[in-house]
Amino acid sequence: MLEEFPSVEGVGLPSPAPPKARAVTRVAVFDKADWWSFGVTTAAALTLYLGSLAPDVSLGFSGIFSTGSRYLGVAHPPGYPLSTLWAWLFIELLPFGNIAWRVAVSSATAGALTCGLIALMVSRSGANLVKQIRGIQQDNERQERRLRMACGFAAGMVFGANGAFWREAVIANVWTLSILMLCLVICLLLRWIHRPGEKRYLYAAALSYGLMLTNSQIQLAFAPAIPFLVWAGDRRAARDMFAFGTLLFMAGLAGLFVGKLPLIGDDWNASHRFFKLFIIGGAITTAGGAGLVLLTGRLFTEWKSILACVAAGLLGLFLYLYVPIASMTNPPMNWGYARTVPGFWHVMTRGQYERLMPSNEISVFARQVSAYGAVTAKEFGFPFLPIVVVPVFFIRRFRVRERGWMLGMLAAYVSLAFLMLAVLNPQLDRAGLERVTVYFSASYVVLALGLGCGLTVIGAHLLKQHDPPEPMLKLGLDQHTPQRRWR
């Protein structure tokens, strides 16, 4: 009987069957608790906004945006092609209500999705924070999920209910879509940081940033923070981003000798209003790139990824080509007649408005920072601000990835708050501050994320105090065996 089977090494035994390959199950980065937090927060914010929605055309640019979206035209500079198409979609899908109300619904929807993305990111970040503070407690996973969902909901609703953002979410406006795109960029970078090998999310973030710039050019202030956020996922890619920025900085210095730059004009010199900001940004970029070169010992090993990010960002900017195409149809709202080259350049460069004049005196900028702090305490909420800094006190317990993410968010806040403030250079009277208060809500995104993480840290410590003591068997001792006394 043994001869009927193939032998193994001369022994009359059947050959063992090859082992079956184990199926590798990949855990999703965003779990059910994260998506529940997103869905509940989005629904709650949308209910809040729809309940206070403007019934018709309101003050400001509401009529311009409504008319431009209805006829797929060109709104005031810089044209806002992304918002025009977004609002037009709601005009076509909603079968009731006047045009201004439907456009306001598009603003409310963008605002609600923004709150949901904030909740999603807080819940995802909270999962790591809870494990690193409490340790892995398998018996309390349900409590941890509830904690993350509650903290994400709180962060999203606190942001959604701040006065600067709420006012824009209930009228026909473009700002809520700009903040939604900002949150989408940050969320895609967070998703990529958890798995840096999946670079499609990095490229999607670059594409989203390019689209965001077609809707809000002031969001260029966020660009210096991007390499710091990338640092949390891959310091080699961040190193090459800093190196690319250094090359641009050197090109700007070379432009001083020529006396002009193509995008700035013939007056590019040391007395230019943007020159000081240019020097400060270039110095930080060069220092960051040099430091990472010393850490990694190489340079431009990720140049393909950087070029892919640049290409994705430019692809998003191509949406500006909609402006001259729409202008050719001669719609009722056709600002600047962008179908001609001078008209297109006039719309793109915001020729209808006064030129940006950044702060050029330290004393004036200090007073502007003080005014920003007062407005933030009022609009965002003073009681929430101390909770934002709570994670800083526990930074030693976090892993390198979480520390890098905190560094990136700090850079994002500096860019969206202080760099944007310097560029806007607002007047310190009531009217001057009211004109720029809406732009402060971009920095409130970072504050809301910090608030959610702070609440998560506090909740994790409260849960840790109520954790049952570990069984003595886990410590290598039998609880029924009397312990010896050592003398």
Side-chain angles (χ1 to χ4, degrees):
M1 295 293 295
L2 294 177
E3 295 178 356
E4 298 178 2
F5 298 92
S7 61
V8 179
E9 296 182 357
V11 182
L13 295 176
S15 301
K20 296 182 179 180
R22 295 182 179 180
V24 179
T25 303
R26 300 197 66 181
V27 180
V29 174
F30 297 110
D31 59 16
K32 291 183 179 180
D34 304 330
W35 291 115
W36 270 106
S37 183
F38 169 80
V40 173
T41 306
T42 301
L46 185 59
T47 303
L48 176 67
Y49 294 149
L50 292 180
S52 55
L53 205 65
D56 210 323
V57 178
S58 59
L59 299 177
F61 299 111
S62 176
I64 295 176
F65 294 134
S66 300
T67 306
S69 301
R70 172 64 180 85
Y71 297 100
L72 288 176
V74 180
H76 69 80
Y80 298 100
L82 184 63
S83 284
T84 299
L85 297 174
W86 170 263
W88 174 82
L89 183 64
F90 282 81
I91 293 174
E92 294 296 318
L93 292 179
L94 292 177
F96 52 86
N98 57 67
I99 300 302
W101 183 85
R102 298 184 204 182
V103 177
V105 171
S106 71
S107 298
T109 303
L113 290 173
T114 300
C115 299
L117 283 180
I118 291 175
L120 178 73
M121 290 186 284
V122 168
S123 179
R124 176 61 268 172
S125 301
N128 296 330
L129 297 180
V130 170
K131 290 180 180 179
Q132 293 170 33
I133 291 177
R134 296 186 62 202
I136 300 177
Q137 301 287 339
Q138 298 293 339
D139 298 334
N140 296 323
E141 289 185 355
R142 180 176 298 180
Q143 292 182 353
E144 295 176 3
R145 288 195 295 267
R146 291 176 178 176
L147 172 65
R148 291 161 46 198
M149 292 172 59
C151 294
F153 177 81
M157 293 307 296
V158 166
F159 174 82
N162 79 78
F165 190 75
W166 191 349
R167 289 191 294 267
E168 305 299 319
V170 296
I171 62 175
N173 207 293
V174 300
W175 184 246
T176 54
L177 184 59
S178 298
I179 301 300
L180 172 61
M181 297 304 297
L182 173 64
C183 289
L184 181 61
V185 172
I186 298 176
C187 186
L188 288 171
L189 287 175
L190 177 64
R191 172 62 178 82
W192 169 74
I193 286 172
H194 279 82
R195 289 178 183 166
E198 300 177 359
K199 293 186 178 180
R200 61 181 181 272
Y201 293 99
L202 178 63
Y203 305 149
L207 174 64
S208 301
Y209 185 66
L211 291 172
M212 179 177 66
L213 292 181
T214 65
N215 203 66
S216 177
Q217 294 179 351
I218 195 64
Q219 297 288 7
L220 276 170
F222 180 70
I226 294 179
F228 290 94
L229 291 169
V230 172
W231 193 338
D234 188 352
R235 62 183 183 181
R236 296 172 302 175
R239 173 204 62 202
D240 291 350
M241 281 190 177
F242 279 121
F244 181 74
T246 301
L247 293 178
L248 294 179
F249 174 63
M250 296 175 62
L253 292 180
L256 289 177
F257 297 96
V258 180
K260 65 178 181 179
L261 285 178
L263 296 180
I264 297 180
D266 297 336
D267 57 344
W268 177 241
N269 51 50
S271 61
H272 196 277
R273 282 276 184 169
F274 278 96
F275 182 74
K276 290 183 179 180
L277 294 177
F278 176 75
I279 293 296
I280 294 174
I284 295 175
T285 301
T286 304
L292 287 176
V293 168
L294 293 177
L295 287 175
T296 59
R298 294 187 179 184
L299 185 61
F300 290 127
T301 59
E302 299 294 324
W303 63 271
K304 294 182 179 179
S305 299
I306 304 304
L307 287 182
C309 289
V310 173
L314 292 176
L315 180 62
L317 288 175
F318 280 164
L319 187 60
Y320 267 127
L321 296 179
Y322 164 84
V323 175
I325 295 175
S327 180
M328 292 177 186
T329 64
N330 198 23
M333 181 55 61
N334 193 5
W335 201 293
Y337 294 96
R339 60 175 176 262
T340 65
V341 175
F344 177 70
W345 187 250
H346 173 81
V347 172
M348 281 282 296
T349 57
R350 303 173 70 253
Q352 190 72 18
Y353 297 95
E354 182 182 358
R355 297 185 62 182
L356 294 174
M357 303 290 288
S359 302
N360 217 10
E361 297 181 8
I362 299 298
S363 59
V364 175
F365 182 68
R367 292 196 297 270
Q368 291 171 344
V369 170
S370 178
Y372 164 81
V375 172
T376 301
K378 178 182 177 182
E379 299 286 353
F380 186 79
F382 177 76
F384 303 118
L385 295 179
I387 305 177
V388 174
V389 298
V390 167
V392 178
F393 297 100
F394 300 91
I395 193 171
R396 291 185 177 180
R397 299 190 182 184
F398 300 155
R399 292 178 298 182
V400 176
R401 183 173 60 190
E402 279 70 30
R403 294 180 184 178
W405 178 252
M406 291 181 62
L407 173 65
M409 296 312 298
L410 176 61
Y413 182 73
V414 171
S415 299
L416 294 173
F418 304 122
L419 178 57
M420 187 178 292
L421 183 66
V423 172
L424 292 173
N425 191 16
Q427 299 294 324
L428 297 180
D429 56 356
R430 180 177 179 180
L433 289 176
E434 287 181 351
R435 284 195 295 267
V436 299
T437 298
V438 59
Y439 300 111
F440 294 167
S441 59
S443 63
Y444 299 166
V445 172
V446 183
L447 294 180
L449 293 174
L451 171 66
C453 292
L455 291 174
T456 304
V457 170
I458 294 174
H461 270 277
L462 294 177
L463 290 178
K464 185 177 182 180
Q465 294 177 0
H466 294 85
D467 284 342
E470 295 186 1
M472 299 183 67
L473 290 175
K474 291 184 179 182
L475 301 177
L477 299 174
D478 188 351
Q479 55 185 349
H480 299 291
T481 303
Q483 300 182 25
R484 296 181 179 179
R485 293 185 178 180
W486 295 89
R487 296 183 179 179

